[in-house]
Amino acid sequence: MNLAITLLVVIAIASVIGTVLQQNQPFNDYISKFGPFWFEVFKALSLYDVYGSAWFLVLLGFLLISTSVCVWRNAPRMVRDMRHYRLDVQLRSLRAFHLKREWERPLLPAEAVKRAALLLKLRGYGVRQKQEAAGAVLLAGMKGGANRLGYILSHSAIVVICIGGLLDGNLPLKLRALSGELVVEKRDLPASQVPPESTLPADASSFRGSVSLPEGAKADFIFLNVGDGYLKQMLPFTVALEDFRIEHYATGQPKSFESDLVLVDNTTGETVKKTIAVNHPLVYKGYSIYQASFSDGGSKLQLRAWSLDGPSSEAVPMEGAVGDELRLTTPTGPLTLELVNFKKFNIFPVEDDPTGKTHRNFGPSFVFKLRDQTGAALEYVNYQYPVPVKDRLYYLSGVRGSPAEEYHYLHIPLDERGGLDRFMALHASALDSERVRAAVRSQLEGVQEKPSEQVRNEVVDSIAALVQMFVVQGIDAVLARVDGSVTDPAKRNSMIDSYIKVLQGVLGELYIQVLRDEGLTPEAGVSEKDSVFFDDALTALSMLGPYGSPFYLQLASFEQRDASGLQITRAPGKDIVYLGCVMLMVGVFLMFYVHHRRIWVRVAALNGGSEVLFAGSGNRDRVDFEQEFTTLAEELDGLLQGHTSDKAE
Amino acid sequence: MSVTHEYLEQRLERPSLVARLGVGDWLWAMALIAGALFAHRRYAELMDIYEIGILYGTAIAFIPLGWAWKPLRGLGVVVAALSIGSVSLYGSELAAGESRFFLKYLLSSQSAIMWMSALFVMATVAYWFGFATRSEFTYKVGSALTWSAAAMGLVGLMVRWRESYLISPDVGHIPVSNLYEVFILFAIITGLLYLYYEKRYATRAMGAFALTVISGAVAFLLWYQFERGAHEIQPLVPALQSYWMKIHVPANFVGYGAFALAAMVGVAYLIADSRPAGFIAKRLPSLTQMDDVMYKAIALGFAFFTVATVLGAMWAAEAWGGYWSWDPKETWALIVWLNYAAWLHLRLTKGWRGRPLAWWAVVGLFVTLFAFLGVNMFLSGLHSYGSL
């Protein structure tokens, strides 16, 4: 029994490990967390899959064996205990009981026995009677034998649950992988290319795996996660996803998602159609198909790429699907554009909405990564429609270096027609050295003193270089240059001021030109709106350096395609486990709430009257039983007084 | 001649359970059945077959509970009356909660929960004061305050249930869906369990200890509300949209409540045991009695926790595709279960009593606390329905 308690505690402590260290993550995550040395140590201890590790299974095995042995050894005794009325108890041991009362009464022994037996029966005790050799009569009472049944039920339940769990576990798979018969695949392969030694036939007795099905696709296999790799498990049926639907609450959280499935049995051809949802799986011949998750299944995106690294103001159309990797050539070298995700809704909380709504949908967005030759990537999220920020609308594009960071947003202002054209025209002219030089010259016209042509050209050159630096590398580069040339803070500030004035002047000149090209007449005055646009455009230009992308990708249109994450299981042990659970629950309640109690009344003849000994035992619930015993003793006392005494008559 | 068998039988006969029932008991049973029938008729389209089963099952289960523990009937009547009053004051306008006096200051779910919090804290003070002065009157005030707190808490949950439907029919759900709501449930259940043992053992001396842990829960609840805005009613994620929630969560919290109570009695036991003639020991019940309460509470908690874990596994099989995934919450449920299984083995098979088991019960509270709070705070997993 000491072993049982030790095992319970040890398993509890061992279980903690797997909750503290996240289990079954990609090995690279562990390496970066612990470093190569500790990674290997922990790996040797199977700490990345504690609950599937040999040592944990051995612990559970010990629990199983220890419980089995306990049940095996104790059950026969318990059954005897349940049925036997201890009529063989000795007077001496009765006298030694903690709970006992003795009386000497002038009542005939037969009458005393009769009355005591009646009392015990009325109080729920089963009673057996024995004539002892010494002429005494022993009554043995018992109730609550089901308590013993509770012991047997609850302890066998543990065995039953373990066996059921073992049937559903992936122990056989691990053994086969260990023997080399199966090879756990670790490469990222399309399903059709998974080699046969990593594929399991459709007749497997138990498994639990998942597959992601895009709308319109079908599959007759799933993937099982094993260690840091996977196996392909064939299914005896093909499951097709006809349609996937997702609904949202007003707050944007998903309210429900469901898949219309068509299942075709590969041998009988039988067809089952069912819509599954979370908490509502499809069960077919012992296989269960669950709605587990959802993702993008390759939505088609029509994009427009606006150059950010050259003097072109025209957008180039592009096309791709989520999951695609497009190889691009740019002046700075080849880039890979990875289309990562698409979201049709972006619902965020808003404050002081005029209509009183607490949440607003900001429309579709898509996420992409730009990866350079070295493998370094920046991640972007772009919104299709303009997003209001402080009462003004902007095209939003967020950029970050890693998923752990927050996005930094680029806010591009909208032109008259709600498009990007004006900003892109301004940007293009700021990269067009001819136009910039012309603008600088025209700015210099207004200066009082007329420097020599040579000085003039030098000034034009350096201002044009400043504009170039501002647009290509951003405001931070300009500030860095100032910091590199002066140290005196006063001088520094005045230099920054003059740089900014120059930039504003030149870019303002270019902006006037852009407005003219649009057919407006800025000489007659620039509208409030257009001047606000210019301020916003300057801010956006100053951010393009760190933005780091050679183009701005605008989402023109999309064709959404969802993928439904299905989990498919076969768990023949489930019913066994449930049976064990029921046994456990019934057993526990029987053990705690049915009390096994024994009571003895021994009546011997004494001086023509009776000598009565009353004793009881109920170890597990001493306090309650003492109460009951006291009450019974008082009642028995009263009965033995017997207001009509045989002896008296 | 001997007395007749019939005579003796008559003399010893105790009236059967049914014969001992009074008018109040029958009214209680009828009210519960009538309530269930009404709810069924009125909300049939919102419930599936299992939920209808749970509705009637709950009503039927509470009949003998009220018979065995009479004050429960009074609580039921008060909670029903106040909840119905509040719901009818609301009508179909959630905004009424701000404009109507009785709702704003008493019966909206937020006000009721604030009243519950205040009453529990007041009850704690009363019990400690009663404990220090051995004043029976103050003790009685403590009991009355605890009953009132439990009533207001239950009213708060009932009304919150209704409010969630007033926000939007698709948002509506039973308020046991996140950490904020179950903390209210925890305070109520722990309070009621304590009141049950108070009556059963006819001593109010353990109230100061039991109510202290409830006040701790209330303090957390208030912090959670005012610092984190956790009191906002949130719609249910798809995994929680299931009838299982209605039985899994309450069963769990009977377990948690009982374990918390056992731990506080364990604290009282340890203090009394270390200074047998001290100020505190003199006021507490006997060590044997506290030991017994501790055992009773852990047995009850263990039984309900077993049921809750099994229900959880069955729900997991339906929602996550497997009855056991070694998810952190599942694993911690197992750890709690193993812990108390070991406790019970020590007591029942090794015959341990007293001090070591009291220590173990206190440590058990921390294990339990981690399972229901720490897992949400520090670990990630499928069962993330309330983070801090």
Side-chain angles (χ1 to χ4, degrees), chain A residues 183-199 221 223 230-232:
Chain A
V183 178
V184 176
E185 183 57 64
K186 298 189 177 172
R187 292 166 296 174
D188 192 8
L189 295 178
S192 56
Q193 287 172 30
V194 174
E197 61 271 23
S198 304
T199 304
F221 57 83
F223 296 106
Y230 61 90
L231 292 168
K232 182 179 167 189

Side-chain angles (χ1 to χ4, degrees), chain A residues 451-459:
Chain A
S452 71
E453 190 60 21
Q454 194 195 343
V455 174
R456 234 175 120 88
N457 279 340
E458 276 171 21
V459 171

Side-chain angles (χ1 to χ4, degrees), chain A residues 3-15, chain B residues 338-339 342-343 360:
Chain A
L3 178 68
I5 295 163
T6 314
L7 274 173
L8 291 173
V9 175
V10 168
I11 293 174
I13 293 169
S15 302
Chain B
L338 290 169
N339 176 56
W343 193 96
W360 199 311

